[in-house]
């Protein structure tokens, strides 16, 4: 039975892997999940305003949730820009479906409801907020997420009871000025000079060395095809990260002051906006303890790893910020993933799929009995 079950998971994974779709466009993915779960007599309901859906097994209280992100990235693969599952979301969906199949077999014995959120647009950092607005999170007591981990962080077979992501935000800006002839530099302020100054200034920003954080320019574009024109305008982007939400707020305030001072110093206008804020982790101790117990039960004490702190971000943590009564934690799953997350040729050991299903199935049952 276990071999047959493993084959079923692999077939689900291969199908999901073959239909990658970018944020807010996960139409085929939503349709496949809906059709598959209906075939197995599992209740599903689509979100009305966007892609994605929920699926439920059991009834009544408490309500225990699972979050599975369903979008892919858009990146160059084999010389072509295309949607590509290089962050493990195809695996996360497969694991969530496997948990639902497990629980459907014992549905009559469940004391409560298990609800899976198949959430769109995680990579844009705001898909979870749209799901919160649907109301499907309001009555949840617990929520568990899952994410595959790189080989150098967590080896296959091991798992950690929480992922402590950092907070991130981005600034998309434009320097606004007038172009000038290359022979008349006195007629304008070179936007490239402004960009170089801005880059130098932000590289000097820092918080306490006890708090992991970073700020860097990730895009700068100025000038035209004509080499004899001094560009007065340019577009740029900044990437800010900190391990805590408070730290990110402080870093953002410092960066905004530098932007304001650049305007004054060079006498130019800088227009822009802060976008795609993703909060740092707000981990529930109760949810983390449940995942720890499940890992011990399924994989043994020797495969229980310490909670993982990572500078990466995930919009999973909006759920606990928006619904403060919700107890949540994200399972970190060893997968021998290489070369790394978001690498276009990312691969992993697919035996982790069964590990994830079994651990989350055990965790959900424990949460129902709290």
């Amino acid at each position: 039975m276990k071999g047959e079950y493993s084959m079923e998971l692999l077939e689900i994974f291969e199908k999901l892997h073959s239909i990658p779709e970018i944020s807010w466009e996960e139409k085929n993915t939503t349709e496949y999940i809906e059709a598959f779960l209906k075939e197995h007599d599992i209740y599903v309901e689509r979100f009305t305003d966007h892609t994605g859906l929920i699926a439920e097994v059991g009834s009544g209280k408490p309500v225990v949730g699972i979050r599975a992100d369903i979008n892919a990235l858009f990146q160059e693969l084999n010389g072509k820009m295309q949607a590509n599952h290089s962050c493990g979301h195809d695996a996360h969906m497969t694991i969530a479906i496997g948990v639902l199949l497990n629980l459907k077999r014992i549905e009559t014995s469940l004391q409560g409801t298990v609800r899976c959120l198949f959430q769109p647009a995680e990579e844009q950092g705001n898909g979870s907020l749209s799901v919160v607005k649907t109301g499907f999170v309001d009555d949840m007591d617990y929520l568990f997420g899952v994410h595959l981990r790189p080989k150098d962080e967590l080896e296959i077979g091991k798992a950690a009871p929480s992922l402590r992501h950092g907070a991130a935000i981005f600034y998309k800006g434009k320097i606004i000025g007038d172009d000038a002839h290359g022979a008349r530099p006195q007629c304008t302020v070179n936007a490239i000079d402004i960009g170089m100054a801005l880059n130098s200034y932000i590289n000097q920003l820092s918080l306490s060395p006890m708090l992991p954080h970073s700020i860097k320019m990730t895009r700068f574009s100025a000038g035209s095809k004509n080499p004899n024109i001094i560009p007065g305008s340019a577009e740029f982007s900044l990437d800010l990260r900190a391990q805590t939400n408070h730290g990110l707020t402080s870093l953002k305030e410092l960066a905004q002051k530098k932007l304001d001072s650049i305007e004054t110093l060079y006498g130019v206008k800088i227009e822009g906006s802060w976008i795609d804020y993703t909060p740092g982790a707000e981990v529930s101790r109760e949810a983390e303890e449940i995942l720890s117990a499940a890992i011990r039960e399924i994989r043994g004490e020797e495969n229980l790893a310490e909670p993982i702190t990572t500078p990466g971000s995930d919009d999973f943590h909006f759920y606990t910020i928006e619904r403060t009564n919700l107890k949540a934690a994200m399972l970190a799953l060893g997968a021998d993933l290489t070369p790394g997350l978001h690498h276009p040729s990312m691969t992993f050991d697919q035996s982790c799929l069964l590990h994830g299903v079994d651990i989350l199935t055990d965790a959900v049952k424990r949460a129902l009995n709290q």
Side-chain angles (χ1 to χ4, degrees), residues 109 209 212 232 263 279 295-296 332 339 352:
S109 65
E263 281 190 308
I295 295 168
R296 288 192 191 94
C352 74

Side-chain angles (χ1 to χ4, degrees), residues 7 16 18 34 47 68 156 163 275 285 293 317 327 362:
M7 287 302 299
L16 290 167
S18 71
E34 179 184 34
F47 300 132
I156 188 71
L163 266 170
I275 61 171
R285 178 172 295 181
H317 306 294
K327 302 178 180 69
D362 188 88

Side-chain angles (χ1 to χ4, degrees), residues 43 200 291 306 332:
Y43 174 79
S200 176
L291 281 175
E306 292 295 319

Side-chain angles (χ1 to χ4, degrees), residues 261-278:
S261 67
I262 286 285
E263 281 190 308
T264 301
L265 179 63
Y266 286 91
V268 297
K269 179 70 175 176
I270 296 179
E271 291 184 352
S273 58
W274 294 98
I275 61 171
D276 295 343
Y277 165 64
T278 308

Side-chain angles (χ1 to χ4, degrees), residues 66 95 99 144-146 291 331 355-364:
I66 303 170
I95 290 169
V99 175
F144 299 108
V146 59
L291 281 175
L331 173 69
H355 301 164
V357 171
D358 291 343
I359 292 169
L360 280 182
T361 299
D362 188 88
V364 166

Side-chain angles (χ1 to χ4, degrees), residues 118 121 150 208 212 244 247 261 347:
F118 289 97
S208 166
T244 66
S261 67
T347 60

Side-chain angles (χ1 to χ4, degrees), residues 52-323:
L53 68 155
I54 64 106
E56 289 185 352
V57 175
S59 61
K61 295 284 287 180
V63 179
V64 177
I66 303 170
R67 193 290 294 265
D69 31 19
I70 69 174
N71 65 299
L73 291 156
F74 190 69
Q75 57 189 169
E76 184 175 345
L77 181 64
N78 299 323
K80 179 182 177 182
M81 293 300 296
Q82 57 188 288
N84 182 42
H85 273 303
S86 59
C87 196
H89 296 188
D90 43 2
H92 306 161
M93 289 184 278
T94 301
I95 290 169
I97 291 172
V99 175
L100 290 169
L101 294 176
N102 270 353
L103 297 175
K104 183 63 180 179
R105 297 182 181 107
I106 59 169
E107 185 171 21
T108 56
S109 65
L110 295 178
Q111 301 297 314
T113 302
V114 179
R115 180 182 302 147
C116 185
L117 309 173
F118 289 97
Q119 178 212 301
E122 183 278 327
E123 294 295 352
Q124 285 199 353
N126 54 12
S128 58
L129 288 174
S130 295
V131 174
V132 168
K133 292 177 182 177
T134 67
F136 283 113
V137 185
D138 294 351
D139 61 346
M140 280 187 178
D141 299 285
Y142 287 90
L143 179 64
F144 299 108
V146 59
H147 209 298
L148 306 188
R149 304 315 299 162
K151 184 175 183 176
D152 59 0
E153 187 174 275
L154 203 59
E155 64 187 62
I156 188 71
K158 292 185 178 294
S162 67
L163 266 170
R164 299 177 177 271
H165 290 98
I169 197 168
F170 311 99
Y171 184 84
K172 189 174 182 179
K174 185 174 183 179
I175 300 166
I176 300 174
D178 297 318
D179 293 348
H181 195 288
R184 296 174 176 81
Q186 75 279 7
C187 294
T188 192
V189 179
N190 193 328
I192 296 174
D193 291 337
I194 299 172
M196 293 175 66
L198 176 60
N199 189 54
S200 176
Y201 285 171
I202 65 169
N203 284 335
Q204 297 172 25
L205 297 180
S206 63
L207 303 176
S208 166
M210 302 299 293
L211 175 68
H213 64 281
S214 70
I215 178 171
K216 76 289 293 183
M217 184 177 288
T218 54
R219 178 176 178 267
F220 188 84
S221 177
S224 66
K225 293 182 179 180
N226 300 99
N228 64 340
I229 294 178
I230 300 171
S233 299
E235 295 181 350
F236 66 94
S237 298
L238 305 178
D239 176 304
L240 285 69
R241 297 174 187 269
Q243 203 57 52
T244 66
N245 294 314
H246 176 73
L248 184 66
T249 298
S250 298
L251 195 61
K252 176 185 170 184
E253 290 173 352
L254 290 174
Q256 186 62 62
K257 288 180 180 179
K258 290 298 182 184
L259 290 166
D260 295 342
S261 67
I262 286 285
E263 281 190 308
T264 301
L265 179 63
Y266 286 91
V268 297
K269 179 70 175 176
I270 296 179
E271 291 184 352
S273 58
W274 294 98
I275 61 171
D276 295 343
Y277 165 64
T278 308
E282 301 286 349
V283 179
S284 157
R285 178 172 295 181
E286 294 95 328
E288 187 178 64
E289 289 175 351
I290 287 172
L291 281 175
S292 293
I295 295 168
R296 288 192 191 94
E297 177 66 25
I298 302 301
R299 302 299 305 159
E301 182 73 37
E302 68 277 12
N303 286 313
L304 172 61
E306 292 295 319
I308 292 176
T309 299
T310 170
S313 59
D314 196 296
D315 75 350
F316 176 83
H317 306 294
F318 269 125
Y319 290 112
T320 47
I321 288 176
E322 294 296 315
R323 298 293 180 266

